Amino acid sequence: MASTSSPTPSQSTHKFTYDVFLSFRGEDIRKTFLDHLNHHLKQKGIHTFKDDEKLKRGECIAPTLLLAIKESRIAIIIFSKNYASSTWCLDEVATIMECKEKFGQVVVPIFYDVEPSHVRNQTRSFAKSFTKHQKFFKDDKGKAKVETWRNALREASKIVGHDLQGDKYNGYELACIRGVINDIFKLLPTQSIQKNLVDLESQLKNISTLMKMSFRDDVKLILGIWGMGGIGKTTLARAVFAQLTERFYYACFLADIRENHSKHGLVALQEKLVSKLWMDSSMRIDDVDQGIQVIKERLAWRKVLIVLDDVDQQEQLDKLVGDGEWLCKGSLVIITIRDKHLFTQFGVAVECYEVKKLDKENALQLFSWHAFKKESPNNGFVDLSTSFVTYAVGLPLALKIWGSFLCGRDNKQWKSTLEMIKTIPDEEVIEKLKISFDGLKDGEKRIFLSIACLFRKKSRDYVEEVLKSCDLHPGIGISVLIERSLVFESNGCMDMHDLIQEMGLRIARENPRRRMIWQLDDLLDDVDHEEMEGVLVTFRDRYSYNENISCLIEALKGMKKLKILIVEGYGNDFYSKTNRSEFEESFGRNIIDNYLPSSLSGFISHIIIYFHYPKALIHQSLLGFIYLIVHSKPAS
């Protein structure tokens, strides 16, 4: 295993965008070993950079790759027979070894079909490659470059890594992949889950102590993590998952169950659980009862680690893990929840851990990290900071939002904000959080509401493309929202805390000037649709579509200011090619040509409907742009 030295000062302040950079020779392993390794890393929640996924067509390769290396916490170098034949690969390994020295980057070599000595001494296929390079790089600069490559290979081969053909794996690729993933989990620090986490280590220690008393290989255990919204349940569950996942070959973090149940239904959740746990994206579940049978049969004979995040109904537990008896011995299910009473259904061992509010010392530290970018307040702000901590009553989300909002503001603005907070009752958490929204500029408010109502969990590039067409400035605006802790970027997608989204949805509902709709039921209400600027409509199945399409058409007719229209279709009956074609015709050309106001539809020249990945299609009109995105995919 690669050595795990303590982070150097430069490493602790260095920006990391990716967990792992994958360096490889594509023609040797792209469709085999690399594909499987990358898939398994992603299944475990590890954020990877693999050049054919991340590079955009027409982009200059070298600078993009070199930047990705520098912004990766760990570099996996897969040495294969033709690795050294590529000057790009050699530039990568040279940069990786440079980053190891400068930033403390961790390097994990894999010797796929070569021996470490072949790499170290540049023999066999490596010798042939360097013979060609020496003929091409003849001048002094070229000779120096070749020597840099040679040195990088020597140093990389000295690191203890994973030898596929060695005694440990004996050529078995799956065993090697498991070994690499276990290695990566040990190398990734817990703090990489989220920056500036306060009191995380002590909470992890408490949970570890709790589990030692109950969790054994002959026991099925339910671990409940419960507490109020915004207290940090999901963050803690992710940290526990990261610590334990290496012990389980079958592991799944099922996020945002409350939201996904409401939006897509239980069948979609069942399919996602099956897909993530057993990497079976081909599984199609027709109804909830079939889903129960499939999950029950598979859980019975496999030791699994499952996290069910943000559960709010008994039905969700019943249909996903039953009463716990479905589980194989040695399995662990972690559930984040606000209502502790829901744990009473289980017939197996249950341990509950309450996530409590931060004490004043830790609360002040968290607030300071976001307000001053350090552990303690600046001189002249100690008393004010203490007052904000008092009114936050130990709620991490409020401390984070307020600290980010106040960062860089003067003493007078701090006092004014504090006076506003004092007037809001303690139980009105969302109203307290709304102060950060009120401090935004108008364009920033529109961007925030668009993300909250329409674009949560959509890729940042996609969101920016759409919002640019609405005469906004998302590049700057999104950066401001991130600085204010109102949104964050996760694996390239825009996201936010549930309470922050709830705040945005409430603002959009109550303010007719910022009217956006995100649920079909809201759209079908008897309200004035004329001010609508954005609409997100989700059909769970063909029945829902057939039942509501006529009402939707009537609503669209009155939307004189519509700029963004997103239609999502989920479920198996939207997925076949025949149904997709039918849906494209009935919703796409039919509605655009016949039912949208002429001011919107008259300038639309063509329609493309995307079914697998949401992409934007720009339709220029007198009022700006319309985006029609029909997103139909398997529920997994």
Side-chain angles (χ1 to χ4, degrees), residues 195-219:
K195 290 187 274 188
N196 302 331
L197 287 173
V198 174
D199 201 34
L200 177 65
E201 290 300 329
S202 65
Q203 297 207 61
L204 287 173
K205 186 177 180 180
N206 291 338
I207 286 181
S208 178
T209 302
L210 186 66
M211 291 181 59
K212 281 179 181 177
M213 296 185 294
S214 305
F215 190 42
R216 305 186 305 272
D217 286 339
D218 61 344
V219 167

PDB file of all heavy atoms in Angstrom, residues 195-219:
ATOM      1  N   LYS A 195     -15.327  20.447   4.302  1.00  0.00           N
ATOM      2  CA  LYS A 195     -14.338  21.293   4.940  1.00  0.00           C
ATOM      3  C   LYS A 195     -14.883  21.934   6.210  1.00  0.00           C
ATOM      4  O   LYS A 195     -16.064  22.212   6.338  1.00  0.00           O
ATOM      5  CB  LYS A 195     -13.891  22.399   3.962  1.00  0.00           C
ATOM      6  CG  LYS A 195     -13.048  21.886   2.798  1.00  0.00           C
ATOM      7  CD  LYS A 195     -12.498  23.022   1.985  1.00  0.00           C
ATOM      8  CE  LYS A 195     -13.470  23.470   0.937  1.00  0.00           C
ATOM      9  NZ  LYS A 195     -12.922  24.452   0.006  1.00  0.00           N
ATOM     10  N   ASN A 196     -13.961  22.196   7.107  1.00  0.00           N
ATOM     11  CA  ASN A 196     -14.269  22.930   8.333  1.00  0.00           C
ATOM     12  C   ASN A 196     -15.353  22.273   9.176  1.00  0.00           C
ATOM     13  O   ASN A 196     -16.164  22.949   9.806  1.00  0.00           O
ATOM     14  CB  ASN A 196     -14.672  24.380   7.995  1.00  0.00           C
ATOM     15  CG  ASN A 196     -13.585  25.112   7.238  1.00  0.00           C
ATOM     16  OD1 ASN A 196     -12.408  24.807   7.400  1.00  0.00           O
ATOM     17  ND2 ASN A 196     -13.978  26.063   6.419  1.00  0.00           N
ATOM     18  N   LEU A 197     -15.404  20.947   9.172  1.00  0.00           N
ATOM     19  CA  LEU A 197     -16.340  20.264  10.055  1.00  0.00           C
ATOM     20  C   LEU A 197     -15.845  20.389  11.486  1.00  0.00           C
ATOM     21  O   LEU A 197     -14.675  20.168  11.777  1.00  0.00           O
ATOM     22  CB  LEU A 197     -16.443  18.786   9.675  1.00  0.00           C
ATOM     23  CG  LEU A 197     -17.217  18.492   8.385  1.00  0.00           C
ATOM     24  CD1 LEU A 197     -17.109  17.024   8.038  1.00  0.00           C
ATOM     25  CD2 LEU A 197     -18.672  18.883   8.532  1.00  0.00           C
ATOM     26  N   VAL A 198     -16.747  20.728  12.370  1.00  0.00           N
ATOM     27  CA  VAL A 198     -16.403  20.912  13.778  1.00  0.00           C
ATOM     28  C   VAL A 198     -17.068  19.800  14.582  1.00  0.00           C
ATOM     29  O   VAL A 198     -18.227  19.472  14.356  1.00  0.00           O
ATOM     30  CB  VAL A 198     -16.872  22.303  14.269  1.00  0.00           C
ATOM     31  CG1 VAL A 198     -16.660  22.437  15.765  1.00  0.00           C
ATOM     32  CG2 VAL A 198     -16.114  23.401  13.533  1.00  0.00           C
ATOM     33  N   ASP A 199     -16.317  19.207  15.482  1.00  0.00           N
ATOM     34  CA  ASP A 199     -16.831  18.191  16.397  1.00  0.00           C
ATOM     35  C   ASP A 199     -17.139  16.869  15.690  1.00  0.00           C
ATOM     36  O   ASP A 199     -17.805  16.003  16.254  1.00  0.00           O
ATOM     37  CB  ASP A 199     -18.092  18.706  17.111  1.00  0.00           C
ATOM     38  CG  ASP A 199     -18.376  17.956  18.414  1.00  0.00           C
ATOM     39  OD1 ASP A 199     -17.410  17.553  19.081  1.00  0.00           O
ATOM     40  OD2 ASP A 199     -19.548  17.757  18.746  1.00  0.00           O
ATOM     41  N   LEU A 200     -16.677  16.699  14.460  1.00  0.00           N
ATOM     42  CA  LEU A 200     -16.970  15.458  13.739  1.00  0.00           C
ATOM     43  C   LEU A 200     -16.256  14.271  14.372  1.00  0.00           C
ATOM     44  O   LEU A 200     -16.839  13.206  14.558  1.00  0.00           O
ATOM     45  CB  LEU A 200     -16.574  15.587  12.273  1.00  0.00           C
ATOM     46  CG  LEU A 200     -16.765  14.324  11.420  1.00  0.00           C
ATOM     47  CD1 LEU A 200     -18.233  13.972  11.310  1.00  0.00           C
ATOM     48  CD2 LEU A 200     -16.160  14.500  10.040  1.00  0.00           C
ATOM     49  N   GLU A 201     -14.982  14.458  14.697  1.00  0.00           N
ATOM     50  CA  GLU A 201     -14.199  13.340  15.211  1.00  0.00           C
ATOM     51  C   GLU A 201     -14.791  12.789  16.508  1.00  0.00           C
ATOM     52  O   GLU A 201     -14.848  11.572  16.706  1.00  0.00           O
ATOM     53  CB  GLU A 201     -12.745  13.780  15.434  1.00  0.00           C
ATOM     54  CG  GLU A 201     -11.979  14.050  14.158  1.00  0.00           C
ATOM     55  CD  GLU A 201     -11.898  12.832  13.247  1.00  0.00           C
ATOM     56  OE1 GLU A 201     -11.875  11.701  13.776  1.00  0.00           O
ATOM     57  OE2 GLU A 201     -11.880  13.010  12.024  1.00  0.00           O
ATOM     58  N   SER A 202     -15.237  13.677  17.385  1.00  0.00           N
ATOM     59  CA  SER A 202     -15.795  13.202  18.655  1.00  0.00           C
ATOM     60  C   SER A 202     -17.096  12.446  18.430  1.00  0.00           C
ATOM     61  O   SER A 202     -17.384  11.446  19.103  1.00  0.00           O
ATOM     62  CB  SER A 202     -16.020  14.376  19.620  1.00  0.00           C
ATOM     63  OG  SER A 202     -17.003  15.256  19.125  1.00  0.00           O
ATOM     64  N   GLN A 203     -17.912  12.903  17.450  1.00  0.00           N
ATOM     65  CA  GLN A 203     -19.162  12.210  17.160  1.00  0.00           C
ATOM     66  C   GLN A 203     -18.900  10.840  16.524  1.00  0.00           C
ATOM     67  O   GLN A 203     -19.585   9.856  16.835  1.00  0.00           O
ATOM     68  CB  GLN A 203     -20.029  13.067  16.237  1.00  0.00           C
ATOM     69  CG  GLN A 203     -20.442  14.393  16.867  1.00  0.00           C
ATOM     70  CD  GLN A 203     -21.740  14.917  16.297  1.00  0.00           C
ATOM     71  OE1 GLN A 203     -22.772  14.283  16.404  1.00  0.00           O
ATOM     72  NE2 GLN A 203     -21.672  16.090  15.702  1.00  0.00           N
ATOM     73  N   LEU A 204     -17.899  10.773  15.651  1.00  0.00           N
ATOM     74  CA  LEU A 204     -17.534   9.484  15.067  1.00  0.00           C
ATOM     75  C   LEU A 204     -17.042   8.522  16.139  1.00  0.00           C
ATOM     76  O   LEU A 204     -17.336   7.323  16.104  1.00  0.00           O
ATOM     77  CB  LEU A 204     -16.450   9.678  14.005  1.00  0.00           C
ATOM     78  CG  LEU A 204     -16.897  10.315  12.688  1.00  0.00           C
ATOM     79  CD1 LEU A 204     -15.692  10.594  11.799  1.00  0.00           C
ATOM     80  CD2 LEU A 204     -17.880   9.418  11.966  1.00  0.00           C
ATOM     81  N   LYS A 205     -16.313   9.052  17.100  1.00  0.00           N
ATOM     82  CA  LYS A 205     -15.823   8.224  18.205  1.00  0.00           C
ATOM     83  C   LYS A 205     -16.994   7.695  19.031  1.00  0.00           C
ATOM     84  O   LYS A 205     -17.013   6.518  19.438  1.00  0.00           O
ATOM     85  CB  LYS A 205     -14.872   9.035  19.081  1.00  0.00           C
ATOM     86  CG  LYS A 205     -14.203   8.244  20.176  1.00  0.00           C
ATOM     87  CD  LYS A 205     -13.209   9.100  20.948  1.00  0.00           C
ATOM     88  CE  LYS A 205     -12.535   8.287  22.060  1.00  0.00           C
ATOM     89  NZ  LYS A 205     -11.567   9.122  22.825  1.00  0.00           N
ATOM     90  N   ASN A 206     -17.985   8.549  19.280  1.00  0.00           N
ATOM     91  CA  ASN A 206     -19.157   8.122  20.052  1.00  0.00           C
ATOM     92  C   ASN A 206     -19.922   7.010  19.332  1.00  0.00           C
ATOM     93  O   ASN A 206     -20.368   6.033  19.952  1.00  0.00           O
ATOM     94  CB  ASN A 206     -20.090   9.311  20.292  1.00  0.00           C
ATOM     95  CG  ASN A 206     -19.493  10.338  21.232  1.00  0.00           C
ATOM     96  OD1 ASN A 206     -18.593  10.019  22.014  1.00  0.00           O
ATOM     97  ND2 ASN A 206     -19.967  11.566  21.152  1.00  0.00           N
ATOM     98  N   ILE A 207     -20.074   7.170  18.015  1.00  0.00           N
ATOM     99  CA  ILE A 207     -20.787   6.142  17.236  1.00  0.00           C
ATOM    100  C   ILE A 207     -19.984   4.851  17.202  1.00  0.00           C
ATOM    101  O   ILE A 207     -20.539   3.751  17.299  1.00  0.00           O
ATOM    102  CB  ILE A 207     -21.071   6.665  15.813  1.00  0.00           C
ATOM    103  CG1 ILE A 207     -22.210   7.697  15.863  1.00  0.00           C
ATOM    104  CG2 ILE A 207     -21.452   5.521  14.883  1.00  0.00           C
ATOM    105  CD1 ILE A 207     -22.591   8.259  14.534  1.00  0.00           C
ATOM    106  N   SER A 208     -18.672   4.976  17.074  1.00  0.00           N
ATOM    107  CA  SER A 208     -17.815   3.788  17.070  1.00  0.00           C
ATOM    108  C   SER A 208     -17.956   3.007  18.379  1.00  0.00           C
ATOM    109  O   SER A 208     -18.073   1.775  18.379  1.00  0.00           O
ATOM    110  CB  SER A 208     -16.360   4.197  16.850  1.00  0.00           C
ATOM    111  OG  SER A 208     -15.513   3.071  16.879  1.00  0.00           O
ATOM    112  N   THR A 209     -17.984   3.741  19.493  1.00  0.00           N
ATOM    113  CA  THR A 209     -18.170   3.098  20.801  1.00  0.00           C
ATOM    114  C   THR A 209     -19.527   2.423  20.889  1.00  0.00           C
ATOM    115  O   THR A 209     -19.654   1.295  21.394  1.00  0.00           O
ATOM    116  CB  THR A 209     -18.037   4.141  21.922  1.00  0.00           C
ATOM    117  OG1 THR A 209     -16.745   4.764  21.844  1.00  0.00           O
ATOM    118  CG2 THR A 209     -18.199   3.500  23.290  1.00  0.00           C
ATOM    119  N   LEU A 210     -20.557   3.091  20.374  1.00  0.00           N
ATOM    120  CA  LEU A 210     -21.912   2.544  20.396  1.00  0.00           C
ATOM    121  C   LEU A 210     -21.988   1.248  19.583  1.00  0.00           C
ATOM    122  O   LEU A 210     -22.596   0.258  20.011  1.00  0.00           O
ATOM    123  CB  LEU A 210     -22.887   3.581  19.818  1.00  0.00           C
ATOM    124  CG  LEU A 210     -24.375   3.276  19.871  1.00  0.00           C
ATOM    125  CD1 LEU A 210     -24.859   3.248  21.314  1.00  0.00           C
ATOM    126  CD2 LEU A 210     -25.154   4.319  19.069  1.00  0.00           C
ATOM    127  N   MET A 211     -21.339   1.231  18.439  1.00  0.00           N
ATOM    128  CA  MET A 211     -21.418   0.073  17.556  1.00  0.00           C
ATOM    129  C   MET A 211     -20.594  -1.103  18.073  1.00  0.00           C
ATOM    130  O   MET A 211     -20.946  -2.257  17.829  1.00  0.00           O
ATOM    131  CB  MET A 211     -20.966   0.463  16.148  1.00  0.00           C
ATOM    132  CG  MET A 211     -21.940   1.389  15.450  1.00  0.00           C
ATOM    133  SD  MET A 211     -21.391   1.802  13.786  1.00  0.00           S
ATOM    134  CE  MET A 211     -21.292   0.183  13.057  1.00  0.00           C
ATOM    135  N   LYS A 212     -19.502  -0.825  18.757  1.00  0.00           N
ATOM    136  CA  LYS A 212     -18.674  -1.914  19.283  1.00  0.00           C
ATOM    137  C   LYS A 212     -19.451  -2.782  20.262  1.00  0.00           C
ATOM    138  O   LYS A 212     -19.185  -3.974  20.397  1.00  0.00           O
ATOM    139  CB  LYS A 212     -17.434  -1.340  19.967  1.00  0.00           C
ATOM    140  CG  LYS A 212     -16.344  -0.912  18.999  1.00  0.00           C
ATOM    141  CD  LYS A 212     -15.156  -0.320  19.737  1.00  0.00           C
ATOM    142  CE  LYS A 212     -14.092   0.132  18.745  1.00  0.00           C
ATOM    143  NZ  LYS A 212     -12.939   0.780  19.423  1.00  0.00           N
ATOM    144  N   MET A 213     -20.419  -2.179  20.925  1.00  0.00           N
ATOM    145  CA  MET A 213     -21.204  -2.925  21.900  1.00  0.00           C
ATOM    146  C   MET A 213     -22.227  -3.841  21.227  1.00  0.00           C
ATOM    147  O   MET A 213     -22.712  -4.789  21.842  1.00  0.00           O
ATOM    148  CB  MET A 213     -21.929  -1.951  22.850  1.00  0.00           C
ATOM    149  CG  MET A 213     -20.984  -1.102  23.701  1.00  0.00           C
ATOM    150  SD  MET A 213     -21.858  -0.082  24.905  1.00  0.00           S
ATOM    151  CE  MET A 213     -22.760   1.052  23.857  1.00  0.00           C
ATOM    152  N   SER A 214     -22.574  -3.540  19.965  1.00  0.00           N
ATOM    153  CA  SER A 214     -23.689  -4.262  19.342  1.00  0.00           C
ATOM    154  C   SER A 214     -23.340  -4.962  18.038  1.00  0.00           C
ATOM    155  O   SER A 214     -23.965  -5.961  17.689  1.00  0.00           O
ATOM    156  CB  SER A 214     -24.849  -3.287  19.071  1.00  0.00           C
ATOM    157  OG  SER A 214     -25.239  -2.616  20.243  1.00  0.00           O
ATOM    158  N   PHE A 215     -22.370  -4.432  17.295  1.00  0.00           N
ATOM    159  CA  PHE A 215     -22.173  -4.889  15.916  1.00  0.00           C
ATOM    160  C   PHE A 215     -21.149  -6.018  15.847  1.00  0.00           C
ATOM    161  O   PHE A 215     -19.978  -5.837  16.150  1.00  0.00           O
ATOM    162  CB  PHE A 215     -21.735  -3.718  15.040  1.00  0.00           C
ATOM    163  CG  PHE A 215     -21.741  -4.052  13.574  1.00  0.00           C
ATOM    164  CD1 PHE A 215     -22.777  -4.781  13.020  1.00  0.00           C
ATOM    165  CD2 PHE A 215     -20.705  -3.639  12.751  1.00  0.00           C
ATOM    166  CE1 PHE A 215     -22.784  -5.089  11.672  1.00  0.00           C
ATOM    167  CE2 PHE A 215     -20.714  -3.944  11.403  1.00  0.00           C
ATOM    168  CZ  PHE A 215     -21.759  -4.671  10.865  1.00  0.00           C
ATOM    169  N   ARG A 216     -21.628  -7.203  15.431  1.00  0.00           N
ATOM    170  CA  ARG A 216     -20.757  -8.359  15.235  1.00  0.00           C
ATOM    171  C   ARG A 216     -21.169  -9.049  13.932  1.00  0.00           C
ATOM    172  O   ARG A 216     -22.203  -8.750  13.353  1.00  0.00           O
ATOM    173  CB  ARG A 216     -20.894  -9.346  16.400  1.00  0.00           C
ATOM    174  CG  ARG A 216     -20.641  -8.744  17.773  1.00  0.00           C
ATOM    175  CD  ARG A 216     -20.665  -9.836  18.847  1.00  0.00           C
ATOM    176  NE  ARG A 216     -21.889 -10.614  18.827  1.00  0.00           N
ATOM    177  CZ  ARG A 216     -22.994 -10.257  19.504  1.00  0.00           C
ATOM    178  NH1 ARG A 216     -23.011  -9.153  20.234  1.00  0.00           N
ATOM    179  NH2 ARG A 216     -24.068 -11.024  19.453  1.00  0.00           N
ATOM    180  N   ASP A 217     -20.328  -9.978  13.502  1.00  0.00           N
ATOM    181  CA  ASP A 217     -20.611 -10.664  12.239  1.00  0.00           C
ATOM    182  C   ASP A 217     -21.845 -11.548  12.302  1.00  0.00           C
ATOM    183  O   ASP A 217     -22.373 -11.955  11.268  1.00  0.00           O
ATOM    184  CB  ASP A 217     -19.399 -11.513  11.826  1.00  0.00           C
ATOM    185  CG  ASP A 217     -18.258 -10.649  11.301  1.00  0.00           C
ATOM    186  OD1 ASP A 217     -18.538  -9.506  10.887  1.00  0.00           O
ATOM    187  OD2 ASP A 217     -17.109 -11.115  11.297  1.00  0.00           O
ATOM    188  N   ASP A 218     -22.289 -11.869  13.516  1.00  0.00           N
ATOM    189  CA  ASP A 218     -23.481 -12.713  13.641  1.00  0.00           C
ATOM    190  C   ASP A 218     -24.716 -11.908  14.024  1.00  0.00           C
ATOM    191  O   ASP A 218     -25.718 -12.461  14.460  1.00  0.00           O
ATOM    192  CB  ASP A 218     -23.239 -13.808  14.683  1.00  0.00           C
ATOM    193  CG  ASP A 218     -22.944 -13.236  16.078  1.00  0.00           C
ATOM    194  OD1 ASP A 218     -22.641 -12.032  16.167  1.00  0.00           O
ATOM    195  OD2 ASP A 218     -23.025 -14.001  17.052  1.00  0.00           O
ATOM    196  N   VAL A 219     -24.650 -10.572  13.839  1.00  0.00           N
ATOM    197  CA  VAL A 219     -25.743  -9.686  14.243  1.00  0.00           C
ATOM    198  C   VAL A 219     -26.176  -8.825  13.067  1.00  0.00           C
ATOM    199  O   VAL A 219     -25.361  -8.382  12.260  1.00  0.00           O
ATOM    200  CB  VAL A 219     -25.300  -8.782  15.421  1.00  0.00           C
ATOM    201  CG1 VAL A 219     -26.295  -7.649  15.652  1.00  0.00           C
ATOM    202  CG2 VAL A 219     -25.134  -9.602  16.688  1.00  0.00           C
TER     203      VAL A 219
END
